[in-house]
């Protein structure tokens, strides 16, 4: 079950940071989320309400359980795998940040400074964030008079509580990475390669972005340092590894899911990309 609010474009300001919230969702993960990362000044916050699973951050696994919270910031590769018997129910917030000109009213404060520096953190929530998330979804779902003001206040409260959690430095990586990019286009590109890795085409992506094919090619190259085909292959190969962990799937089934014309074509592409065969990788997991 999933409840999602997309394309929100809600802007709040904390200190000298303008934070644009684009997506807020609560969903049950019954399938693995393949390895991916977000672009510059992009952040995703995950709160595990119930269930269990694993998140792999830069090839290192971390166990997830109820009450756990983690932040993935710019260029942090992560893959999320639910427990088959008790899959995770997760709240996720996706947003962008931009540093604004400092004024007397909006000077850099302790919250904005700390948030800007941390692009990966994981630990148990000790600030009672779940009620804030529940109230956020309630306000967005019902849209009573004044709900936008209420949502912005709740988002501010959420981010303050998040930064307070950072004081419990369970796992963290600090890094300041702020580059002025277009928020919505970055999100469209990332979601296209994350969810439509098997069928996305340059023409489809160009149409979603409202750009020409040539502009789209340039956009991807500037943002990710890769061509469209390289970025698409990265998404497919990440998902291939995830699917190979499921012993109930034949390699031919995986080739079909990833939209390869034959199992031979898939096997060749996998070995060329990773340097070892799909069957070798599957056997190495046991």
């Amino acid at each position: 079950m999933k409840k999602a609010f997309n394309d929100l474009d809600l802007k709040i300001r904390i200190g000298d940071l303008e934070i644009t919230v684009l997506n807020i969702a609560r969903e049950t993960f019954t399938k693995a989320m393949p390895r991916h990362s977000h672009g510059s000044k992009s952040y995703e916050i995950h709160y595990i309400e119930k269930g269990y699973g694993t998140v792999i951050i830069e090839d290192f696994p971390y166990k997830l359980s109820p009450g756990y919270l983690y932040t993935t910031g710019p260029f942090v590769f992560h893959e999320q795998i639910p427990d088959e018997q008790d899959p995770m129910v997760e709240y996720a917030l996706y947003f962008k940040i931009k540093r604004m000109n400092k004024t007397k009213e909006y000077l850099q404060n302790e919250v904005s400074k700390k948030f800007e520096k941390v692009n990966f953190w994981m630990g148990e929530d000790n600030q009672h964030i779940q009620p804030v998330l529940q109230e956020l979804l309630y306000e967005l779902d019902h849209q009573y008079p004044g709900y936008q003001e209420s949502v912005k206040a709740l988002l501010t409260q959420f981010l303050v509580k998040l930064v307070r959690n950072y004081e419990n430095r369970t796992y963290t990586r600090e890094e300041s990475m702020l580059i002025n990019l277009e928020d919505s286009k970055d999100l469209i590109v990332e979601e296209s390669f994350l969810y439509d890795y098997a069928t996305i085409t340059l023409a489809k992506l160009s149409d979603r972005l409202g750009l020409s094919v040539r502009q789209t090619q340039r956009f991807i190259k500037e943002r990710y340092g890769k061509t469209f085909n390289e970025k698409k292959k990265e998404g497919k190969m990440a998902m291939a590894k995830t699917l190979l962990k499921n012993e109930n799937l034949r390699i031919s089934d995986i080739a079909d899911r990833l939209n390869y014309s034959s199992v031979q074509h898939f096997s060749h592409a996998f070995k060329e990309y990773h340097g070892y065969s799909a069957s070798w990788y599957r056997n190495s997991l046991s």
Side-chain angles (χ1 to χ4, degrees):
M1 182 178 178
K2 179 176 182 177
K3 182 179 285 292
F5 300 92
N6 303 316
D7 304 318
L8 292 172
D9 197 32
L10 287 166
K11 297 185 188 299
I12 61 173
R13 191 156 178 174
I14 298 180
D16 62 341
L17 290 183
E18 181 183 79
I19 299 168
T20 303
V21 182
L22 299 169
N23 287 358
I24 299 175
R26 178 185 179 273
E27 61 182 307
T28 302
F29 277 92
T30 56
K31 297 181 180 179
M33 180 71 70
R35 186 174 187 265
H36 65 287
S37 66
H38 303 296
S40 294
K41 68 174 185 174
S42 305
Y43 290 78
E44 194 167 28
I45 313 300
H46 311 255
Y47 174 82
I48 310 305
E49 181 184 33
K50 54 186 177 181
Y52 297 86
T54 302
V55 61
I56 300 174
I57 306 289
E58 304 288 0
D59 298 322
F60 191 89
Y62 299 87
K63 292 295 184 182
L64 297 173
S65 57
Y68 259 72
L69 181 73
Y70 70 97
T71 298
T72 50
F75 310 115
V76 176
F77 280 96
H78 53 289
E79 174 186 358
Q80 192 163 289
I81 304 167
D83 183 280
E84 291 184 2
Q85 303 302 317
D86 191 4
M88 296 169 291
V89 178
E90 175 195 86
Y91 286 90
L93 288 80
Y94 182 91
F95 50 86
K96 300 274 190 169
I97 66 173
K98 179 169 66 174
R99 182 182 289 156
M100 307 297 288
N101 293 328
K102 294 180 182 179
T103 66
K104 289 182 179 180
E105 184 180 4
Y106 295 111
L107 292 174
Q108 187 177 55
N109 63 28
E110 196 171 346
V111 173
S112 63
K113 182 179 180 181
K114 186 69 175 178
F115 179 77
E116 177 187 346
K117 286 184 176 180
V118 175
N119 73 344
F120 169 59
W121 181 88
M122 171 179 286
E124 289 188 82
D125 169 41
N126 59 16
Q127 294 294 317
H128 307 292
I129 274 181
Q130 185 178 355
V132 179
L133 293 169
Q134 291 174 328
E135 188 69 16
L136 260 176
L137 262 63
Y138 178 86
E139 290 286 347
L140 288 167
D141 198 27
H142 291 82
Q143 297 190 10
Y144 294 130
Y147 83 95
Q148 289 183 320
E149 287 74 15
S150 179
V151 164
K152 289 179 181 180
L154 287 164
L155 286 169
T156 300
Q157 186 180 0
F158 169 80
L159 289 166
V160 168
K161 286 178 177 289
L162 176 69
V163 169
R164 287 177 179 177
N165 269 307
Y166 287 173
E167 299 305 310
N168 174 23
R169 298 168 63 88
T170 308
Y171 304 106
T172 186
R173 190 171 89 197
E174 293 191 0
E175 206 169 308
S176 180
M177 304 182 79
L178 286 175
I179 302 173
N180 291 325
L181 301 176
E182 296 179 58
D183 298 345
S184 59
K185 286 185 172 59
D186 279 345
L187 181 58
I188 290 169
V189 170
E190 290 167 12
E191 291 199 337
S192 294
F193 285 116
L194 180 58
Y195 298 110
D196 300 332
Y197 51 83
T199 59
I200 189 66
T201 64
L202 185 55
K204 283 181 182 178
L205 183 57
S206 300
D207 185 58
R208 292 177 186 180
L209 292 171
L211 300 174
S212 68
V213 167
R214 188 172 180 179
Q215 287 173 323
T216 300
Q217 290 173 319
R218 189 184 307 119
F219 184 91
I220 294 170
K221 188 69 175 177
E222 289 174 354
R223 297 303 193 261
Y224 301 98
K226 298 180 175 71
T227 65
F228 171 84
N229 287 332
E230 288 170 340
K231 187 68 176 166
K232 181 176 178 178
K233 180 175 279 190
E234 178 184 76
K236 292 175 78 170
M237 289 296 104
M239 191 59 188
K241 275 192 164 184
T242 299
L243 294 173
L244 283 164
K245 294 171 185 175
N246 184 345
E247 295 180 354
N248 295 321
L249 287 176
R250 297 174 301 176
I251 291 180
S252 58
D253 296 329
I254 295 170
D256 187 57
R257 285 197 187 190
L258 296 175
N259 205 30
Y260 283 97
S261 58
S262 67
V263 66
Q264 292 81 8
H265 184 197
F266 164 70
S267 297
H268 175 77
F270 188 94
K271 187 170 184 178
E272 183 180 55
Y273 187 86
H274 291 293
Y276 44 81
S277 69
S279 56
W280 182 92
Y281 176 73
R282 169 168 275 177
N283 291 334
S284 74
L285 298 173
S286 57

